[in-house]
Amino acid sequence: METKFTVEFYQTEKGETPCLEFLNTLEVKLRAKAFRDMALLEEIERAKKYRKDYLARNPQKEERK
């Protein structure tokens, strides 16, 4: 059974909705963080690919541990 509800945000006399504005700001920050994390993961994968290619073309180079 699906439960439905309605959310009413507080509205000031000027028509502002502070809570909704806060949530929208939070959404933007979370979206930016997700984009940053995704970009970082892509860069890590690219670096691994470059390293693998380098070692394959330079077998005399030993990996440092």
Side-chain angles (χ1 to χ4, degrees), residues 21-64:
E21 291 167 13
F22 169 76
L23 291 174
N24 287 337
T25 301
L26 186 60
E27 180 183 350
V28 170
K29 288 179 183 179
L30 290 174
R31 196 176 318 137
K33 181 183 180 325
F35 177 76
R36 184 192 71 220
D37 292 349
M38 183 178 67
L40 181 58
L41 288 175
E42 289 176 5
E43 289 301 316
I44 290 171
E45 290 304 314
R46 186 186 323 204
K48 287 179 180 180
K49 177 182 160 188
Y50 289 165
R51 181 176 179 271
K52 183 178 178 181
D53 176 61
Y54 175 81
L55 293 174
R57 291 184 297 116
N58 298 280
Q60 70 279 8
K61 302 286 184 181
E62 278 191 39
E63 295 183 45
R64 294 184 183 195

